[in-house]
Amino acid sequence: MSAILLLVLGLGGMAAGYFVYSRFIASKVYRLDPDFKTPAHEFEDGVDFVPTNRFVLWGHHFTSVAGAAPIVGPAIAVIWGWLPAFLWVVLGTIFFAGVHDAGAIWASIRNRAKSVGALTGEVVGGRARSVFMIVIFLVLLMVNAVFGVVIAKLLINTPGAVVPVWGAIAVALVIGQLIYRRVIGLGLVSVIGVACLYGLIFLGPQVPISLPETTAGLSANAVWILILFGYAAVASLLPVWMLLQPRDYINGLQLFVGLILLYAAVLIANPTVVAPMINTDLPMDTPSMIPLLFVTIACGAISGFHGLVASGTTSKQLDKETDVRFVGYFGAVGEGALALAAIIAATAGFASLADWQAVYSAFGQGSLTAFVDGGARILSAGTGLSSEVAATLLTVMAALFAGTTMDTGLRLQRYIFQEWGEIYNQQWMRKPFPATALAVISCLVLAFGAGGADGSGGLLIWPLFGTTNQLLAGLTLLVVTVMLVRRGRPTLFTLVPLIFLLVMTLLALLIQLKGFYLKENWFLLGLDLVVLVAAILVTLECTAALRRHKKLREEEVRS
């Protein structure tokens, strides 16, 4: 089958979702008000609360949530066949992710830009908030610790990516000054920024940079991880307009250019999808597709991490409430388009079915390698770029998005510590520097405490990321649904996704629990139990709140 069919159906469905379904959700469910004073204006401080152009904010939101996960998840999940992955990405983007992301921003700005964890305390109750924030902390810990490892390995395996990855930071600093000092218009700034990024991508392979195998007794992987966390700590303390916003905005444009190139190459080269529609010849260790498909593909269909970004940084920068639709829903569409590209690269970027099966010989194989190698073959065939440049372009794309997610993730973790300081009346923890230090230390303790001198300890708890992340998405939708009930709004459009997610996530947690027990992995078994108990407790609290507010609403209507 031609990959062009997947491209047209996938992008067409997502476009219809944005132009039709999101308009309905914005006007009939969330009822976005252009005159509502957003927290960015109410609490403007020039550091975290900054009213922002919706295109720039879309870039920040989109690239913060579009890390390596929307590439890795789909590229692994195609082992069950391309059809299940394709359907979940497209339908999940339209009916799940867009509603979730927009809802999280809306709920936050209606509550002084509080994170979804702190917001739970006001909407549901103190007990639910305490448990929910533990789940949030675990998700951020996983994301930050693991993405540090992912970027470090990309920089080691592709030395030509070092210059463009770090050069992008310098470009962002300059772009930030040009935008906010209004030196030149946003359009010209955008062209200059993207041109600089792609110039660096072509320059990178000419000046590859590799660290020594050992430095002061530390491996190159460990040194890169330390450098990355040092950078992320500084980035999390800088005003958002100085680095975070422009870096994310330019990266967002860069991704769209990269996607356009990849999709154009598909149209020109017309590659054949060699992977089976439904794979009936699965490797021995492959788990059941249901429910594992729905937690393997998280980002790109729906992801709880999006709710953290939406309510953590995005809501503090929203200029008008009506921008929620563009920033939140269209941000989800952008990530869905990236996940679709990953599916095409991982199923049509191989010469034959035998070549594909050789890569997908066990569950968990393929991943980022399948996207880079398969995508590079399609790019090279369709555009004439050399294989090396095509592979570097896709590697840099993955590394830059993992980096922007790590930037935002550490900032969000800082917010969590500050909110804990506020909740438990610890004044010192409410300050940015101590909170950032706690965030970095917790990540490094996991990275080096569990991973030894290599710093790869974050991978130890990564098997629980998919389920914990999807649990977070379901619980975020629960909070949004409670808010809708309190306001007498339609709840079906958030209720159906949240029930589906909670059922699939709880099933996946139970399946993983059995797997950890059989493997005698007591650490992950214990952590799985913690997440499972937290899920049940928060679900019960939210359900009780849902019934309570529904009853109160009915009494108000009758009176």
Side-chain angles (χ1 to χ4, degrees), residues 72-84:
V72 173
I76 290 175
V78 293
I79 196 168
W80 287 299
W82 62 260
L83 182 61

Side-chain angles (χ1 to χ4, degrees), residues 209-271:
I209 295 176
S210 299
L211 292 180
E213 289 188 14
T214 58
T215 304
L218 295 174
S219 66
N221 190 73
V223 172
W224 273 128
I225 289 172
L226 289 173
I227 292 172
L228 286 164
F229 273 107
Y231 155 74
V234 174
S236 74
L237 290 167
L238 290 175
V240 289
W241 64 265
M242 188 176 290
L243 178 59
L244 195 68
Q245 278 184 4
R247 174 167 155 81
D248 291 351
Y249 174 63
I250 294 300
N251 281 343
L253 293 178
Q254 179 257 345
L255 172 64
F256 257 73
V257 172
L259 283 177
I260 289 170
L261 287 174
L262 184 57
Y263 284 142
V266 170
L267 293 173
I268 295 168
N270 191 19

Side-chain angles (χ1 to χ4, degrees), residues 173-188:
L173 287 169
V174 174
I175 293 299
Q177 295 296 322
L178 292 177
I179 291 175
Y180 281 90
R181 297 189 187 283
R182 292 178 173 80
V183 177
I184 51 179
L186 184 60
L188 184 55

Side-chain angles (χ1 to χ4, degrees), residues 11 14 62 89 93 256 259 263 300 331-342:
L11 293 184
M14 293 181 205
F62 167 52
V89 163
T93 295
F256 257 73
L259 283 177
Y263 284 142
V333 168
E335 183 157 273
L338 176 58
L340 178 63

Side-chain angles (χ1 to χ4, degrees), residues 159-206:
V162 174
V163 168
V165 166
W166 291 101
I169 297 170
V171 172
L173 287 169
V174 174
I175 293 299
Q177 295 296 322
L178 292 177
I179 291 175
Y180 281 90
R181 297 189 187 283
R182 292 178 173 80
V183 177
I184 51 179
L186 184 60
L188 184 55
V189 167
S190 304
V191 172
I192 292 172
V194 172
C196 289
L197 278 185
Y198 276 92
L200 289 169
I201 288 172
F202 281 93
L203 176 64
Q206 311 305 317

Side-chain angles (χ1 to χ4, degrees), residues 305-320:
F305 182 73
H306 292 204
L308 299 184
V309 175
S311 65
T313 57
T314 304
S315 62
K316 294 177 175 64
Q317 302 168 60
L318 199 77
D319 184 34
K320 296 179 180 179

Side-chain angles (χ1 to χ4, degrees), residues 427-441:
Q427 296 300 320
W428 65 275
M429 199 185 291
R430 296 175 64 181
K431 298 177 182 178
F433 283 99
T436 299
L438 288 172
V440 172
I441 289 169

